[in-house]
Amino acid sequence: MPAWSGSMLLRIAMDSSMGDDMNNWLDWRRDEMIRAAKRREWERLQDECKRRRIDAAIACMSVIGLVLALGIGIVADADAGEIPAYPSGAAVSQCEALYGWPVETVIIEQKFERPLNTWSPGHRGIDLAAETGTAILAPKAGTVSFAGKVAGKDVVSVRHSNGVVSTFEPASTDFAVGTKVTRGQTIGTVEGESDHCKDQCLHWGLKRGAADYLDPEHVSGNKRIALKPLE
C-alpha cells in the first residue's frame, strides 16, 4: 500500500467535503426550482379565479341592468331620436313632457302597474276620472289606427310617429282609421263599454311594440295631477 502523507489525506477529505456541499447545493437548487414552479402555478390559478369572479360580476351587473331597463318606462321621442327613461316616482316638468294629457282635468283613479311578463296580471295603463261625454284629446300627434270594439269594449287607438300607440277606453270617435291628428286635438269622447271603471273614467294605455307597456304618468307632466282620495 502506498504511504499517504498527512497533506494528501487532508486534501482528499476536503475534496470529499466539497463534493458533498456541491450535491447539497444542487439538491437545494432543485427543490427551490420546484417550489418556484409551484408558486407560479398557484399565482396563475389565483389570477384565473379572480378573472372569473370579475367576469361573473360583470355578467351579473349586465343582467341586472337589462332587467332594470325593461322594468322602467322608456319612451322614444321621434324628434330627438333618443329614449329617455323616467324612474318610478320621478317628477316630469312641462318642458320634458313627451305627451299631453288626454283630458282637461287630470285626476288619476288608478295608477299604472307593470306586469312581470306579457301574461301576468297588472294595470297596463292609468285610469283618469272622466264622465261620459268628456272630450278625449290626442296626447301626441299621430294617426287613428283603430276605432271599434275589442272583446265588447269600445276602444280608440292612435299610433304616434315614434311607434308608440295610445289606446283609450271607453271611447268613441267620428274619425276614420287613417285620420291624422295633432297634439291636443279632440279625437273623440268618453263613451261606451269598458271593464275598468264604468261611466266614471277613461283608461289610457301606452304600448310600444307588441307588449312593451309604458307608464303614461311618467311621460306626461304639463298639468297638475290630483290623486283621487280614498273613500
Side-chain angles (χ1 to χ4, degrees), residues 164-228:
V164 176
V165 176
S166 285
T167 298
F168 306 100
E169 62 170 280
S172 176
T173 183
D174 293 330
F175 291 155
V177 172
T179 303
K180 295 186 179 298
V181 296
T182 59
R183 177 170 176 155
Q185 179 181 353
T186 299
I187 58 174
T189 57
V190 177
E191 184 180 351
E193 299 295 328
S194 174
D195 58 359
H196 286 273
C197 40
K198 188 175 182 179
D199 299 330
Q200 294 295 324
C201 83
L202 173 68
H203 177 78
W204 177 24
L206 274 177
K207 185 171 70 172
R208 179 178 53 196
D212 186 9
Y213 291 92
L214 311 175
D215 187 349
E217 183 181 354
H218 287 167
V219 294
S220 305
N222 59 340
K223 288 191 178 184
R224 185 176 180 181
I225 304 172
L227 294 179
K228 182 180 179 181

Side-chain angles (χ1 to χ4, degrees), residues 36-93:
K38 289 182 177 180
R39 184 165 54 252
R40 288 193 297 270
E41 179 65 14
W42 180 83
E43 291 174 351
R44 186 188 67 79
L45 292 175
Q46 290 296 310
D47 290 341
E48 184 176 349
C49 290
K50 184 177 180 180
R51 286 195 300 270
R52 288 181 179 178
R53 287 195 294 268
I54 292 174
D55 292 343
I58 293 174
C60 183
M61 292 302 295
S62 299
V63 172
I64 292 175
L66 178 60
V67 171
L68 290 176
L70 293 175
I72 294 175
I74 301 175
V75 177
D77 185 79
D79 299 330
E82 297 178 348
I83 303 179
Y86 299 96
S88 178
V92 182
S93 66

Side-chain angles (χ1 to χ4, degrees), residues 95-117:
C95 64
E96 294 173 319
L98 299 178
Y99 295 81
W101 290 98
V103 292
E104 286 292 341
T105 303
V106 181
I107 300 176
I108 297 178
E109 295 271 359
Q110 185 173 350
K111 285 179 167 289
F112 175 84
E113 182 181 349
R114 182 179 299 280
L116 294 177
N117 45 56

